[in-house]
């Protein structure tokens, strides 16, 4: 649905007097869920229930600092930092390279009869709701499985195709796929306004190394003006050292919470195994979600720390549900940039949902403009 375009986001700013008063009262504070941060205790207002009209825009409550108009003359870098994910934000690899990667995987495995044209690929995506394993099963059920493949090895065959497809997609992302239109101008605009730009590679699905190779497409001059937060940067950050025990052990509450999660996961697995034994099936419960979220939160905290901006004054430009969840947990504003992979996904906790960079979509000006409804 398309409506008239206007400003979507508000300046995250505060008055000079508020900063002076807050800095004097700064302290080491223990945030909920044992998230430690060394931050001044800024006073803030969090406007709710905005009604913005913009192109393909959904908007919930955007947590922002309000201020008198005199604060608008301050350096924006004191008020706002932008954190960018790689997957779906810097590059929309699924739109440009996913089908091609599948065809390269088929060639690598000697499956000469398998080739996905655009109509075939689109139909499989629609019928499987984007589940790639299901896409392969539907396809080979239609054209026939390799004659030399035993029936009981279909699952391992599908996994081998997906493995080769991932390798092919990684290579395409590094070598030939372009960055998302408008992202370079978006970053340049932020840098010109003195707004810190942080690119997060540590929790990318493609991995830290591949993601850094994608970031290099921005060019050396642009890279000199931004910061990249990968695994090493997270581990060296204050929050990373506290949480992952590099400098000191985590707080007692956090340790107890971790042990409780482990115990709960173990009990779930035990019950699942008992049920599975009765049904004569194999059941394995995924316990990695909490660990993945912990890694995402650590990356977001590290990004805020490296930018030198409080978490509530950083905005995550996300292309993944997991990133949005992590940002929500620590109270970081979050804007979703839709990609071909998330075109139909729901993001109820996102503050805004946009289709791309520039024009009627996401711009630095829209992040910086103060425009109360």
């Amino acid at each position: 649905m398309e409506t008239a375009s206007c400003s979507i986001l508000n300046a995250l700013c505060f008055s000079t007097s508020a900063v002076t008063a807050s800095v004097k009262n700064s302290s080491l504070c223990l945030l909920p869920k044992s998230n430690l941060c060394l931050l001044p205790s800024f006073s803030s207002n969090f406007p709710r229930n905005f009604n913005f009209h913009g192109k393909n825009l959904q908007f919930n409550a955007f947590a922002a600092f309000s201020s008198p108009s005199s604060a608008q003359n301050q350096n924006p870098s004191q008020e706002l930092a932008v954190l960018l994910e790689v997957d779906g934000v810097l590059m929309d690899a699924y739109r440009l390279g996913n089908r091609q990667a599948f065809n390269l995987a088929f060639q690598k495995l000697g499956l000469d009869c398998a080739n996905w044209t655009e109509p075939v690929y689109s139909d499989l995506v629609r019928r499987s709701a984007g589940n790639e394993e299901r896409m392969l099963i539907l396809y080979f059920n239609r054209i026939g499985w390799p004659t030399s493949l035993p029936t009981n090895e279909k699952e391992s065959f599908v996994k081998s195709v997906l493995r080769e497809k991932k390798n092919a997609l990684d290579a395409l992302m590094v070598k030939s796929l372009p960055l998302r239109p408008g992202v370079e101008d978006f970053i340049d605009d932020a840098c010109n306004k003195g707004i810190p730009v942080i690119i997060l590679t540590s929790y990318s699905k493609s991995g830290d190394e591949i993601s850094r190779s994608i970031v290099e497409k921005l060019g050396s001059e642009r890279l000199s003006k931004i910061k990249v937060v990968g695994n090493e940067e997270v581990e060296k950050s204050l929050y990373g050292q506290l949480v992952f025990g590099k400098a000191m052990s985590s707080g007692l509450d956090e340790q107890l919470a971790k042990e409780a999660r482990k115990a709960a996961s173990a009990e779930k697995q035990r019950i699942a195994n008992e049920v599975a034994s009765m049904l004569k099936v194999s059941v394995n419960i995924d316990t990695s979600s909490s660990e993945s979220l912990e890694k995402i939160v650590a990356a977001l905290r590290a990004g805020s720390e490296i930018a030198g901006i409080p978490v509530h004054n950083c905005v995550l430009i996300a292309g993944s549900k997991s990133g949005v969840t992590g940002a929500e947990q620590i109270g970081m504003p979050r804007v979703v940039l839709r990609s071909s992979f998330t075109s139909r996904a729901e993001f109820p906790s996102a503050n805004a949902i946009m289709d791309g960079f520039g024009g009627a979509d996401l711009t630095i000006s829209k992040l910086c403009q103060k425009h109360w409804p």
Side-chain angles (χ1 to χ4, degrees):
M1 183 174 66
E2 187 169 323
T3 59
S5 171
C6 79
S7 301
I8 62 163
L9 304 178
N10 300 274
L12 308 179
C13 53
F14 37 81
S15 66
T16 304
S17 59
V19 175
T20 303
S22 299
V23 172
K24 289 180 180 178
N25 297 319
S26 63
S27 60
L28 181 64
C29 57
L30 186 61
L31 295 181
K33 301 184 181 177
S34 300
N35 293 330
L36 290 173
C37 67
L38 187 59
L39 300 175
S41 53
F42 298 114
S43 61
S44 62
N45 292 322
F46 298 93
R48 303 288 179 181
N49 300 324
F50 291 166
N51 294 312
F52 288 100
H53 302 283
K55 178 183 177 183
N56 298 322
L57 172 66
Q58 300 176 25
F59 201 86
N60 302 325
F62 194 96
F65 290 95
S66 63
S67 72
S69 59
S70 61
Q72 293 179 359
N73 295 325
Q74 292 181 320
N75 185 344
S77 65
Q78 297 176 358
E79 309 154 6
L80 172 68
V82 176
L83 278 60
L84 299 168
E85 291 187 347
V86 175
D87 299 325
V89 177
L90 280 192
M91 179 181 287
D92 189 355
Y94 283 88
R95 180 177 69 85
L96 298 172
N98 213 41
R99 181 178 68 86
Q100 186 180 351
F102 268 112
N103 286 334
L104 290 172
F106 295 149
Q107 295 174 17
K108 181 74 177 290
L109 295 171
L111 302 171
D112 298 332
C113 61
N115 181 63
W116 288 359
T117 61
E118 186 64 46
V120 169
Y121 177 75
S122 299
D123 179 61
L124 290 171
V125 170
R126 179 184 58 81
R127 294 175 60 196
S128 66
N131 184 308
E132 295 186 342
E133 184 173 332
R134 182 63 180 160
M135 288 169 65
L136 288 168
I137 293 172
L138 287 171
Y139 180 70
F140 285 105
N141 280 344
R142 180 193 303 172
I143 71 165
W145 295 79
T147 55
S148 60
L149 182 70
T151 303
N152 61 354
E153 293 184 10
K154 287 183 178 180
E155 183 178 349
S156 60
F157 168 76
V158 167
K159 289 182 178 179
S160 67
V161 174
L162 291 177
R163 186 168 53 251
E164 290 297 336
K165 174 258 175 186
K166 182 184 183 304
N167 293 338
L169 184 59
D170 287 346
L172 286 172
M173 287 192 292
V174 173
K175 295 179 181 178
S176 59
L177 296 185
L179 295 174
R180 192 157 177 167
V183 67
E184 292 165 303
D185 291 339
F186 180 84
I187 292 173
D188 289 343
D189 196 14
C191 293
N192 291 336
K193 286 181 169 64
I195 297 173
V197 176
I198 308 293
I199 298 182
L200 307 169
T201 63
S202 65
Y203 63 87
S204 171
K205 285 185 177 180
S206 305
D208 192 8
E209 184 177 351
I210 295 295
S211 295
R212 284 181 181 272
S213 298
I214 294 172
V215 172
E216 289 177 2
K217 291 175 179 282
L218 291 170
S220 57
E221 182 179 353
R222 197 172 282 113
L223 285 173
S224 67
K225 301 176 183 178
I226 65 178
K227 299 292 183 182
V228 178
V229 174
N231 296 330
E232 184 178 353
E233 288 78 12
V234 172
E235 290 177 3
K236 289 182 177 180
S237 69
L238 173 61
Y239 184 83
Q241 292 181 68
L242 291 172
V243 171
F244 300 120
K246 298 298 183 180
M248 62 186 77
S249 62
S250 302
L252 178 60
D253 288 346
E254 185 172 347
Q255 292 185 36
L256 290 174
K258 286 183 179 180
E259 292 302 321
R261 287 196 297 268
K262 289 180 181 179
S265 296
E267 181 63 13
K268 288 180 182 178
Q269 185 66 63
R270 184 188 66 78
I271 295 172
N273 288 338
E274 288 182 0
V275 175
S277 64
M278 290 186 290
L279 299 176
K280 296 183 179 180
V281 297
S282 175
V283 176
N284 186 35
I285 294 177
D286 181 12
T287 60
S288 63
S289 58
S290 62
E291 295 177 1
S292 175
L293 183 59
E294 184 180 74
K295 184 176 182 180
I296 291 169
V297 167
L300 296 175
R301 288 281 187 193
S304 169
E305 179 184 324
I306 290 171
I309 302 293
V311 165
H312 289 84
N313 280 37
C314 296
V315 180
L316 173 67
I317 312 302
S320 67
K321 280 190 173 183
S322 55
V324 171
T325 301
E328 180 188 18
Q329 179 170 310
I330 62 175
M332 179 180 290
R334 48 223 171 263
V335 177
V336 169
L337 212 63
R338 286 202 182 278
S339 65
S340 56
F341 190 67
T342 60
S343 59
R344 297 185 180 182
E346 298 293 333
F347 294 91
S349 65
N351 301 114
I353 301 177
M354 306 299 290
D355 287 335
F357 291 105
D361 289 307
L362 184 61
T363 64
I364 289 296
S365 295
K366 289 175 181 177
L367 288 177
C368 292
Q369 287 173 0
K370 179 179 178 181
H371 178 74
W372 306 116

